Amino acid sequence: MFDNLSDKLDKALHVLKGHGSITEVNVAETLKEVRRALIDADVNFKIAKDFTNRVKEKALGQNVLTTLQPGQLMVKIVKDELTELMGGDASGVNLSGNPSVILMSGLQGSGKTTFSGKLANFLKTKKTKKPLLVACDVYRPAAIDQLHVVGDAIKVDVFSDRGNQDPVAIAEAGIAFAKANGHNVVIVDTAGRLAVDTEMMDEIANIHKAIQPQETLFVVDSMTGQDAVNTAKAFNDILNFDGVILTKLDGDTRGGAAISIKSVVDKPIKFIGTGEKMEAIDVFYPSRMADRILGMGDVVSLVERAQEQFDEEEARKLQKKIAKNQFGFDDFLKQIQQVKKMGNMKDLMGMIPGAGKMLKGVDIDDDAFKHIEAIIHSMTPAERTNPSVINSSRKKRIGKGSGTSVQQVNQLLKQFNQMSKMMKMMQGGGGRKMMQAMSRMQK
């Protein structure tokens, strides 16, 4: 996500490192590179110029604190301005109605139908709502089928009327169905087009007028860059939508749409799509995104994802097992499953400060755990519970069964033993002992 922009901004801000003070000369040199990086990321030239002018004004207007170096101060100013440019604060979704009606709009191929499912799943699991998906795309082949497949996957009801070609009537009937069946949120998936045209705009404007939604969201493919911003403006002029959803941020995204869209349409980015899975949806936090663009990671989001997978009762059971030295491969497998539920590995690594730069060019496979899982699944229940019984003949059998080598099995057993010892040391006052042991190792 934004790898190229992050690299170029890092190089631009590196200019100030080593300077004892901020001057017009070194600020001008730095901001020239910052502006170039933003334009390369497909940010509108005027927005990039206004941004660097504001940064220059603030940088030259501040005295550098004794605890800060000029480079650090410039990073802080750029981060604050990026945050403001992308919206400042996070914006929630309006769920005031009964039912709350959310109208989805956007071009064809932007990921509107898939994101409708993600949003329904988000509202169901995080906001304890009972959503209903309404299929109003009567033009695209299999659009209704796609929404039903998505609904089945997340166990959310879908309303459709295959014999009806009037999207307005389908939307109204869907809301009536929701009221009759206790659904408190209705998400209306509308038809997209290959380009902005009068017929499409009239149709969605009629749906909007008929159902009076509490929230109108514009879904945009972030990989289309500046074109996405222009499309958003055209839609906003007709619909006056409430917020933007950026999809495909896990792809080869230059970042121009995320940075520019708020200043062009003056509407907040509310959600982002970060993968293909139904759970790959995040509330958009401008300050956290600014941190990630500047290579500072996003520890808060990482902790939040971990907390979502955290089960207090399971944690207590695990603690007892570790204390009794009963931590086995079944428990290890559960931990792996929890990590996988947090999202794709590359996205998670990008949230760790500095990790993005360290792992530049490294291809992190989403199936990074598959060999470990295969080895564990090839063990007998007794071997998983008590790994100490695994001798050389058992290792050969496990290696054959998992399609791996004896060396890989040995490596996993060694890492598992080291991790078990470390977890045991962390129990009670063991953290202090571990620090003392590490201190001795360094001497």
Side-chain angles (χ1 to χ4, degrees):
M1 193 191 294
F2 305 154
D3 286 345
N4 288 338
L5 177 58
S6 297
D7 289 344
K8 286 174 182 175
L9 285 177
D10 183 58
K11 285 174 186 171
L13 295 169
H14 192 77
V15 173
L16 273 178
K17 288 182 182 177
H19 287 276
S21 61
I22 284 179
T23 65
E24 281 206 44
V25 175
N26 57 34
V27 164
E29 189 182 350
T30 300
L31 292 181
K32 181 183 175 184
E33 293 304 316
V34 169
R35 185 162 58 245
R36 187 175 291 166
L38 291 171
I39 292 167
D40 284 350
D42 212 8
V43 174
N44 178 278
F45 175 77
K46 186 178 182 302
I47 293 169
K49 188 178 178 182
D50 289 346
F51 174 83
T52 50
N53 285 342
R54 287 197 303 274
V55 172
K56 182 181 179 181
E57 192 179 315
K58 286 193 176 181
L60 295 175
Q62 289 189 31
N63 294 319
V64 180
L65 300 171
T66 53
T67 53
L68 285 178
Q69 295 175 354
Q72 292 170 327
L73 182 64
M74 183 62 86
V75 168
K76 184 189 180 302
I77 295 169
V78 169
K79 189 237 172 186
D80 291 344
E81 285 299 318
L82 266 178
T83 302
E84 200 57 39
L85 188 62
M86 291 188 288
D89 299 315
S91 298
V93 63
N94 180 8
L95 300 173
S96 58
N98 189 25
S100 306
V101 180
I102 300 171
L103 179 65
M104 308 296 284
S105 62
L107 289 183
Q108 202 174 85
S110 60
K112 195 164 58 279
T113 301
T114 302
F115 203 92
S116 296
K118 288 182 182 181
L119 184 59
N121 189 52
F122 174 85
L123 295 173
K124 177 188 169 187
T125 55
K126 307 280 177 69
K127 303 291 183 183
T128 62
K129 296 290 184 181
K130 188 185 177 185
L132 172 72
L133 289 163
V134 178
C136 286
D137 185 349
V138 295
Y139 306 106
R140 183 166 62 89
I144 295 171
D145 292 332
Q146 183 190 352
L147 198 64
H148 276 282
V149 169
V150 167
D152 290 343
I154 58 174
K155 295 180 172 57
V156 166
D157 291 339
V158 177
F159 178 86
S160 61
D161 186 352
R162 293 178 188 274
N164 195 339
Q165 291 295 302
D166 182 0
V168 175
I170 295 169
E172 289 175 325
I175 294 169
F177 179 87
K179 288 177 180 176
N181 291 275
H183 295 278
N184 47 23
V185 177
V186 178
I187 299 171
V188 180
D189 178 37
T190 60
R193 292 286 191 280
L194 294 175
V196 176
D197 61 55
T198 309
E199 186 186 346
M200 178 186 69
M201 290 302 190
D202 287 346
E203 181 183 287
I204 200 158
N206 290 337
I207 295 172
H208 187 276
K209 185 179 178 182
I211 65 175
Q212 295 291 302
Q214 277 71 39
E215 193 84 12
T216 304
L217 299 174
F218 176 70
V219 183
V220 62
D221 179 353
S222 58
M223 293 176 72
T224 55
Q226 199 55 45
D227 190 49
V229 179
N230 298 332
T231 307
K233 189 176 184 308
F235 267 81
N236 192 52
D237 291 344
I238 300 291
L239 278 181
N240 190 26
F241 54 70
D242 300 291
V244 177
I245 289 169
L246 286 178
T247 61
K248 307 178 188 178
L249 269 177
D250 56 319
D252 184 20
T253 305
R254 287 188 285 177
I259 294 169
S260 310
I261 210 158
K262 169 67 171 67
S263 60
V264 173
V265 296
D266 196 28
K267 297 293 167 66
I269 300 169
K270 297 207 171 187
F271 294 98
I272 54 173
T274 55
E276 293 179 6
K277 294 179 181 175
M278 284 294 117
E279 296 80 20
I281 170 175
D282 287 325
V283 174
F284 183 76
Y285 291 93
S287 61
R288 298 183 193 180
M289 188 57 71
D291 279 339
R292 293 183 71 173
I293 289 171
L294 293 171
M296 299 175 186
D298 184 1
V299 177
V300 178
S301 292
L302 185 61
V303 170
E304 283 178 355
R305 288 200 191 182
Q307 284 175 334
E308 284 169 14
Q309 303 305 325
F310 178 77
D311 186 321
E312 205 169 335
E313 185 57 36
E314 282 293 324
R316 270 198 292 269
K317 288 178 185 175
L318 191 62
Q319 205 168 10
K320 285 178 185 176
K321 282 190 174 185
I322 294 166
K324 293 177 183 177
N325 206 24
Q326 293 175 348
F327 182 77
F329 273 109
D330 281 321
D331 305 303
F332 185 47
L333 199 58
K334 283 182 185 176
Q335 300 305 305
I336 289 174
Q337 297 303 328
Q338 285 187 326
V339 171
K340 285 172 72 175
K341 284 179 185 175
M342 287 169 64
N344 71 70
M345 291 305 296
K346 195 162 188 177
D347 191 33
L348 293 176
M349 293 304 291
M351 292 181 180
I352 301 169
K357 200 185 293 184
M358 287 168 60
L359 295 168
K360 187 187 173 186
V362 177
D363 187 29
I364 301 172
D365 192 355
D366 255 1
D367 291 327
F369 294 114
K370 67 181 178 184
H371 296 304
I372 295 171
E373 290 175 292
I375 291 169
I376 296 171
H377 284 305
S378 296
M379 295 177 184
T380 65
E383 288 166 346
R384 290 190 212 175
T385 307
N386 184 17
S388 60
V389 303
I390 300 175
N391 55 26
S392 25
S393 64
R394 287 176 184 252
K395 288 175 186 175
K396 285 180 185 175
R397 191 204 75 241
I398 292 166
K400 283 181 180 177
S402 58
T404 58
S405 64
V406 173
Q407 286 88 346
Q408 285 173 296
V409 176
N410 279 330
Q411 189 181 16
L412 176 60
L413 289 169
K414 185 181 176 182
Q415 289 170 341
F416 178 78
N417 286 333
Q418 287 172 341
M419 188 184 70
S420 298
K421 284 176 187 174
M422 192 176 287
M423 290 170 84
K424 180 77 173 169
M425 288 177 80
M426 291 299 288
Q427 287 286 315
R432 187 174 64 255
K433 292 177 187 174
M434 191 171 81
M435 291 301 290
Q436 289 169 351
M438 289 172 71
S439 178
R440 282 196 296 273
M441 286 169 67
Q442 289 172 340
K443 289 177 181 176

